């Protein structure tokens, strides 16, 4: 471990004649070792959505995926040379019937109303209300709108164009159903059409006998819908009487997850080579090669949200136990950082699958399990603090829902971000905190010699992030026990006038004498006790060797 040590002078604050004593050990020791930061980026299917939950495609500039990746690339740029950085995302299903595959993405508003009287842009009530907060133009019925509170992705193997569906049994957003599994779901049958005109909310018969009268045309299919990652994370298992879908773009898709994390880029010195590896994984999504683990391709968004299991994978990694190839192993533990290990975890939703890959629909249980995993990482033999960022969480999510995870991870409360500005602000605050922690430390130094009346224990504090520091003196009794704070240098200095209350001196070469470090009253003709013209000129000269006349400001 590289160490930077600073020594200070202590003295007994008693009668004149007390000896000057140098501390036999450093008053503070600060580590020059860079902090280890593991950045975890959500790469579930819901990252294909925009901040409102509407599907826009992972390659869209308005997608949560692109906003998050751009923010992460900013971190790479801003902190190159200052930290050790690595990248983890969610493990994805690569084999079997639900392996990651290319699909076609559609935006699907749920529980819609075609009646304009149901629209209120300032509505903030329950998501299953007949009053709707959002609307989009009906693409096949000019002048008409589709009104909704929830819009999430819909996937199928081909471009489905536009679809308008209804069900006689669906009740948004949960009608007593349980998560999909053997014998569970789907629960409601929908009849779908190519077109829907007008503003009627009348529910047609399931055989379609009166559908045309309500504006429906071109019956395409009758089917049932399964919930996806975004649905499960919000407890949505029922999609309402009316729902629609509209084609968006290609996408990667899987409706499962093995339940763990995947280490894409190991933690290492953030130099140019590491930056290239990270930026490659953070690049814009592509839809040609299915490369869930390919180091030469960007992350792909697919599958569910295994927050608990990803913390478990991170714990294995920091402990040097990451051996599974399916999770990015085998991989040695990150380099020693003198106890300065951190995870920065961005999620756009609540956990939707357990560490064993079992789908979850009870948010409280899922959050509790994720908090336990974050706590296990923080209390491990090699403790790792976890910062949590909730980015564009689903509509209706309880404020502070991720705080329990952050608290268990040692950072108190989660950060909430909704767009580019607030996400960059959250990351800036987090990394400022990390740098401050990794650059500060303190140790106690006792005055040398025997303990005498008025003896003090001195403690120096130093923060290399902003080069601030402090020095405190603690009174001790005859047994050497600390009995209280005698003085704090910062508090004392703040009460003193810099000119009349303190002795700040420098050396004047032309007279070989010590003088007050003050700007001369007449710089062109200084007195013998003021800075000479050579010193004035040096202070007036900037880093470009130009006399800018700012010497007085520099001295002050």
């Amino acid at each position: 471990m590289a160490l930077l040590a600073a020594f200070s002078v202590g003295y007994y604050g008693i009668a004149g004649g007390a000896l000057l004593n140098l501390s036999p050990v450093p008053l503070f020791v600060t580590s020059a070792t860079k902090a280890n930061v593991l950045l975890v980026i959500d790469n579930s299917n819901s990252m294909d959505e925009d901040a409102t939950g509407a599907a826009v495609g992972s390659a869209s500039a308005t997608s949560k995926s692109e906003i998050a990746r751009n923010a992460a690339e900013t971190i790479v740029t801003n902190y190159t040379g200052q930290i050790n950085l690595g990248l983890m995302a969610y493990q994805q299903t690569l084999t079997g019937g639900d392996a990651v595959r290319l699909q076609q993405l559609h935006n699907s508003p749920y529980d819609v109303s075609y009646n304009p009287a149901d629209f209120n842009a300032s509505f903030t009530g329950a998501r299953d209300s007949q009053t709707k907060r959002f609307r989009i133009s009906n693409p096949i019925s000019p002048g008409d709108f589709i009104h909704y509170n929830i819009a999430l992705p819909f996937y199928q193997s081909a471009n489905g164009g536009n679809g308008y569906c209804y069900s006689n049994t669906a009740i948004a957003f949960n009608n007593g159903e349980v998560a999909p599994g053997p014998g569970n779901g789907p629960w409601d049958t929908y009849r779908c059409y190519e077109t829907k005109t007008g503003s009627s909310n009348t529910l047609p018969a399931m055989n379609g006998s009166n559908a045309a009268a309500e504006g429906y045309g071109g019956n395409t299919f009758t089917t049932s819908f399964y919930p996806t990652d975004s649905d499960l994370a919000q407890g949505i298992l029922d999609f309402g009487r009316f729902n629609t879908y509209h084609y968006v773009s290609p996408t990667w898709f899987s409706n499962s997850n093995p339940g763990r994390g995947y280490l894409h880029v190991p933690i290492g010195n953030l130099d140019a080579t590491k930056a290239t590896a990270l930026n490659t994984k953070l690049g814009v999504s592509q839809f040609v090669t299915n490369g869930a683990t390919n180091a030469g391709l960007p992350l792909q968004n697919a599958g569910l949200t295994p927050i608990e299991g990803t913390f478990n994978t991170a714990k294995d990694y920091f402990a040097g136990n990451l051996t599974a190839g399916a999770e990015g192993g085998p991989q040695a533990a990150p380099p020693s950082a003198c106890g300065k290990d951190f995870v920065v975890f961005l999620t756009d939703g609540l956990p939707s699958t357990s560490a064993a890959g079992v789908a979850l629909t009870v948010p409280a249980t899922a959050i509790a399990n994720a908090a336990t995993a974050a706590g296990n990482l923080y209390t491990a033999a090699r403790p790792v603090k976890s910062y949590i960022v909730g980015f564009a969480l689903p509509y209706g999510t309880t404020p502070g829902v991720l705080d329990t995870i952050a608290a268990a991870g040692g950072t108190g409360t989660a950060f909430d971000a909704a767009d580019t500005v607030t996400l960059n602000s959250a990351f800036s605050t987090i990394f400022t905190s990390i740098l401050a922690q990794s650059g500060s430390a303190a140790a106690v130094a006792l005055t040398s010699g025997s303990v005498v009346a008025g003896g003090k224990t001195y403690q120096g504090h130093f923060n290399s992030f902003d080069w601030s520091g402090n020095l405190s003196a603690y009174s001790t009794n005859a047994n050497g026990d600390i009995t209280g704070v005698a003085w704090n240098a910062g508090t004392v200095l703040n009460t003193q006038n810099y000119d009349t209350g303190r002795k700040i001196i420098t050396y004047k070469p032309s007279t070989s004498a010590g003088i007050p470090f003050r700007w001369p009253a007449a710089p062109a003709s200084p007195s013998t006790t003021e800075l000479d013209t050579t010193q004035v000129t040096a202070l007036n000269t900037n880093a470009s060797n130009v006399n800018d006349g700012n010497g007085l400001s520099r001295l002050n």
Side-chain angles (χ1 to χ4, degrees):
M1 181 191 306
L3 296 176
L4 171 65
F7 293 81
S8 184
V9 174
Y11 67 91
Y12 296 116
I14 54 179
L19 295 176
L20 183 67
N21 290 278
L22 293 177
S23 169
V25 296
L27 287 186
F28 57 80
V29 179
T30 182
S31 169
T33 303
K34 296 174 182 175
N36 288 326
V37 183
L38 180 62
L39 182 62
V40 180
I41 295 289
D42 188 318
N43 64 328
S44 62
N45 269 124
S46 57
M47 294 297 281
D48 288 356
E49 304 160 17
D50 68 10
T52 72
V56 294
S58 54
S60 168
T62 63
S63 70
K64 289 183 281 188
S65 178
E66 272 302 283
I67 294 173
R69 296 185 194 198
N70 288 338
E73 288 172 337
T74 299
I75 290 171
V76 173
T77 298
N78 289 347
Y79 298 100
T80 294
Q82 301 183 56
I83 59 174
N84 297 325
L85 188 63
L87 178 67
M88 183 174 286
Y90 301 150
Q91 183 186 4
Q92 295 174 333
T93 303
L94 302 181
T95 59
D98 205 15
V100 175
R101 60 193 182 277
L102 188 64
Q103 291 275 276
Q104 302 303 317
L105 176 67
H106 303 73
N107 184 38
S108 181
Y110 296 166
D111 192 37
V112 307
S113 169
Y114 299 103
N115 187 346
D118 293 334
F119 175 67
N120 180 356
S122 60
F123 177 68
T124 58
R127 63 185 183 178
D128 59 356
S129 171
Q130 188 60 30
T131 303
K132 309 301 180 185
R133 180 181 180 183
F134 306 110
R135 71 178 185 179
I136 57 174
S137 296
N138 188 334
I140 56 87
S141 186
D144 290 324
F145 292 88
I146 298 166
H147 311 90
Y148 63 95
N149 286 327
I150 298 290
L152 292 172
F154 166 66
Y155 305 85
Q156 63 181 37
S157 58
N159 180 343
N162 300 307
Y164 304 83
C165 307
Y166 63 83
S167 170
N168 291 150
T169 59
I171 300 176
F173 286 100
N174 191 310
N175 192 24
E177 300 92 347
V178 294
N184 295 329
W187 304 272
D188 301 295
T189 299
Y190 286 85
R191 188 177 181 93
C192 298
Y193 291 79
E194 293 179 346
T195 62
K196 165 68 171 82
T197 59
S199 59
S200 173
N201 276 342
T202 300
L203 188 66
M206 284 306 294
N207 63 10
S209 59
N210 60 336
E214 306 305 330
Y216 292 90
N219 179 229
T220 52
F221 54 80
T222 299
T223 190
S224 297
F225 298 120
Y226 281 91
T228 64
D229 171 60
S230 297
D231 303 315
L232 293 172
Q234 299 182 58
I236 294 176
L237 300 173
D238 200 316
F239 311 103
R241 293 186 308 161
F242 303 109
N243 63 59
T244 68
Y245 61 85
H246 313 279
Y247 178 71
V248 175
S249 69
T251 186
W252 298 112
F253 174 76
S254 174
N255 205 31
S256 73
N257 190 282
R260 301 275 289 189
Y262 187 92
L263 182 65
H264 288 272
V265 181
I267 292 174
N269 179 35
L270 183 51
D271 56 13
T273 300
K274 182 66 68 175
T276 297
L278 289 163
N279 287 332
T280 295
K281 300 305 297 185
L282 296 169
V284 180
S285 297
Q286 54 81 44
F287 305 106
V288 177
T289 303
N290 185 353
T293 62
N294 191 323
L297 294 174
L299 295 175
Q300 57 187 37
N301 300 328
L304 308 183
T305 305
I307 295 180
E308 174 193 4
T310 301
F311 272 118
N312 291 345
T313 299
K315 181 175 179 291
D316 287 345
Y317 175 42
F318 278 97
N321 297 327
L322 183 57
T323 58
E327 298 175 40
Q331 189 63 238
S336 173
C338 298
K340 307 303 179 182
D341 294 316
F342 304 90
V343 163
V344 179
F345 200 128
L346 179 146
T347 176
D348 77 321
L350 307 185
S352 60
T353 185
S354 72
V358 178
L360 302 171
T361 58
V362 182
T365 301
I367 290 292
N369 292 342
T372 297
N376 291 338
L377 180 62
Y378 183 47
T379 58
R382 181 174 181 172
V384 181
K385 284 187 176 180
S386 295
Y387 291 89
I388 310 299
V389 180
F391 176 51
L393 295 176
Y395 175 71
T397 301
T398 303
V401 68
L402 301 176
D403 285 352
T404 54
I405 303 177
T411 57
T413 58
F415 290 79
D416 185 30
D419 51 30
T420 299
V421 173
T422 52
L423 181 57
N424 281 328
S425 176
F427 276 155
S428 178
T429 300
I430 289 169
F431 278 83
T432 296
S433 173
I434 288 172
L435 285 178
Q437 292 176 73
S438 62
S440 63
V444 172
L446 185 66
T447 52
S448 60
S450 60
V451 176
V452 298
K456 300 292 188 291
T457 296
Y458 299 96
Q459 185 177 34
H461 306 266
F462 177 63
N463 187 336
S464 66
F465 177 68
D466 60 1
W467 302 106
S468 64
N470 203 359
L471 180 67
S472 300
Y474 299 88
S475 300
T476 60
N477 61 21
N479 296 323
D481 300 323
I482 293 175
T483 59
V485 178
W487 49 259
N488 179 294
T491 302
V492 174
L493 292 176
N494 286 338
T495 65
Q496 297 177 341
N497 180 280
Y498 87 95
D499 189 27
T500 61
R502 298 179 61 188
K503 296 184 184 297
I504 304 175
I505 61 176
T506 190
Y507 177 73
K508 185 172 183 175
S510 60
T511 61
S512 300
I515 60 170
F517 188 44
R518 303 289 188 273
W519 195 253
S525 56
S527 71
T528 58
T529 59
E530 295 179 322
L531 297 175
D532 62 25
T533 55
T534 301
Q535 292 172 306
V536 168
T537 299
L539 284 166
N540 275 328
T541 303
N542 64 23
S544 299
N545 204 33
V546 174
N547 189 320
D548 58 13
N550 290 324
L552 177 58
S553 296
R554 291 190 176 94
L555 184 146
N556 288 340

